[in-house]
Amino acid sequence: MTVKHLSLDYNKVSERGTFSPGDILSGRVTVDTSKETKVQCLLVKAKGKAKVTWQDQEGEATGTHSDKKKYFYFEHIILQDKKKGDGSEIIRPGRNVYPFTFVIPNIDMPSSYKGKWGTITYSLMAKLTQSIWLVHKTKTEVPFLTKSEFPFASKSDMIIIGLKEQQYATRISFYGSSKVTMNVTSEKMGVKQGDAVGISVEILNDTTHVVTPKFYLCEKQTFVAQSKRIVHTNESLFSSGDAVPAESTLTITKVLSIPPQLHPTFFNCCMMKLEYRLKVTLDIPLARDSEIKLPLVILLGSPKPHQQKPKRSIWFRKLPG
């Protein structure tokens, strides 16, 4: 084993450490050898791809659904023996550094993403072949960020208009001959990672029971392969509101902070998409339809060198009705 170490690294081009369409992806492959080494080939590959796969039960058989899409593939040969296989290329003993450069295509591509049944990955791989039995490989993922400010616009142009507008919904839940009316208003539909959104809930409780609102963040991942579709949902409790006494009316205002690590909403991948909702529920005994869901678009946040608290100055227009 004359090759002691094979490594691969790249140069950052942004404050985030991410790459985007049109960027130059450059770096170096480092090979450490104990003595003069003959090789057949040394190359580096750059690849961007999306892949979806899942299994489900179809009668007594288990069906597998999968699909993939290649956004780009480049291969740069650093060393290759002239006689194609006799190992005539020589790597000197010690540390050898070989630079490489790729230009990422300037086309619309989704950001890196890892979901329940699908991934969008961008990667570099170096491969050193000494013989058919002796091959060295090293691989690293490259964080990629779409250039699109709204990576859902191609599917939902009208959604952009409402990003800064208030969202409003009403739900009436019946409990016997009584009812509870819930009016929910969110400050806006579009919120950046790490920022906050204000929610106002007006509850008209005509029942003889105490009701308490709860606030949830709902995530929906959708995957498509071979004309089949599968959905993975997840929800987390944001907060609980004040209890509303029987036969009373109360307006509750909450400021909900969006976790900075949440992946932004996206639709610009043909095999998967990511959506969010704000959900408000009332724990009314034996009552149905006691929840409201409002659309929420999570936008890419600005990189912050120091952690900052979300702004708390939230204003609402008067609720209708």
Side-chain angles (χ1 to χ4, degrees):
M1 297 294 291
T2 58
V3 177
K4 298 192 298 181
H5 184 68
L6 174 67
S7 63
L8 172 68
D9 59 277
Y10 57 84
N11 303 315
K12 294 183 179 181
V13 296
S14 68
E15 184 181 354
R16 293 179 184 272
T18 57
F19 290 82
S20 295
D23 284 346
I24 295 176
L25 177 54
S26 63
R28 63 209 59 81
V29 177
T30 303
V31 184
D32 288 315
T33 61
S34 59
K35 63 179 183 179
E36 187 176 277
T37 303
K38 290 184 178 182
V39 300
Q40 292 183 1
C41 186
L42 173 61
L43 58 83
V44 60
K45 301 176 182 179
K47 184 189 298 184
K49 67 176 183 179
K51 183 179 180 180
V52 168
T53 182
W54 76 87
Q55 292 183 333
D56 58 17
Q57 200 70 26
E58 299 177 349
E60 297 181 356
T62 300
T64 299
H65 307 283
S66 63
D67 201 356
K68 60 183 178 180
K69 178 180 176 61
K70 187 183 295 181
Y71 294 107
F72 62 83
Y73 176 85
F74 300 112
E75 185 177 289
H76 172 58
I77 297 176
I78 298 171
L79 294 173
Q80 187 174 42
D81 65 295
K82 298 178 179 61
K83 296 182 181 180
K84 297 183 180 179
D86 66 351
S88 60
E89 280 293 336
I90 302 297
I91 295 181
R92 296 175 298 174
R95 186 171 185 265
N96 299 267
V97 180
Y98 304 96
F100 63 84
T101 299
F102 299 107
V103 179
I104 300 174
N106 195 10
I107 58 176
D108 181 34
M109 293 179 283
S111 300
S112 301
Y113 177 69
K114 286 182 171 60
K116 178 70 173 178
W117 291 294
T119 59
I120 302 169
T121 56
Y122 301 84
S123 61
L124 287 166
M125 187 188 77
K127 179 180 177 181
L128 189 155
T129 303
Q130 289 182 262
S131 69
I132 192 173
W133 301 282
L134 192 54
V135 179
H136 309 269
K137 293 181 182 180
T138 184
K139 184 178 179 180
T140 184
E141 288 194 12
V142 178
F144 189 83
L145 193 63
T146 181
K147 258 188 176 179
S148 174
E149 183 180 2
F150 306 111
F152 43 81
S154 61
K155 298 289 183 182
S156 310
D157 289 334
M158 292 301 295
I159 204 172
I160 301 175
I161 300 173
L163 288 178
K164 296 182 180 180
E165 296 295 322
Q166 285 188 342
Q167 306 298 306
Y168 175 80
T170 297
R171 175 76 68 188
I172 300 176
S173 301
F174 291 95
Y175 179 73
S177 59
S178 303
K179 66 179 181 179
V180 176
T181 303
M182 178 169 58
N183 300 312
V184 178
T185 301
S186 69
E187 176 200 11
K188 53 191 174 183
M189 182 168 60
V191 187
K192 289 185 177 182
Q193 297 165 307
D195 283 357
V197 59
I199 304 293
S200 179
V201 182
E202 181 188 44
I203 299 173
L204 291 77
N205 184 10
D206 294 333
T207 73
T208 57
H209 296 272
V210 175
V211 297
T212 303
K214 293 183 179 180
F215 303 84
Y216 295 87
L217 174 65
C218 302
E219 176 186 358
K220 179 182 178 182
Q221 303 174 18
T222 304
F223 304 91
V224 178
Q226 300 171 348
S227 301
K228 299 288 186 178
R229 178 176 174 269
I230 191 169
V231 174
H232 172 69
T233 58
N234 182 46
E235 65 179 40
S236 55
L237 179 65
F238 258 140
S239 176
S240 294
D242 298 330
V244 182
E247 299 180 346
S248 66
T249 298
L250 183 65
T251 298
I252 300 166
T253 299
K254 287 284 183 179
V255 177
L256 308 177
S257 296
I258 303 301
Q261 70 274 13
L262 281 184
H263 195 286
T265 301
F266 73 89
F267 286 83
N268 62 339
C269 177
C270 61
M271 293 185 297
M272 64 191 86
K273 63 181 179 180
L274 178 64
E275 304 167 87
Y276 295 95
R277 297 286 188 274
L278 286 173
K279 185 173 80 170
V280 183
T281 66
L282 289 178
D283 54 347
I284 308 173
L286 304 178
R288 296 181 179 180
D289 299 326
S290 57
E291 69 178 37
I292 287 177
K293 287 185 179 181
L294 293 177
L296 178 69
V297 175
I298 296 183
L299 304 169
L300 181 69
S302 303
K304 300 176 182 178
H306 302 290
Q307 189 173 3
Q308 299 178 358
K309 294 183 179 180
K311 295 181 180 180
R312 297 289 176 172
S313 178
I314 306 294
W315 292 90
F316 290 96
R317 294 195 294 269
K318 186 178 179 181
L319 289 169

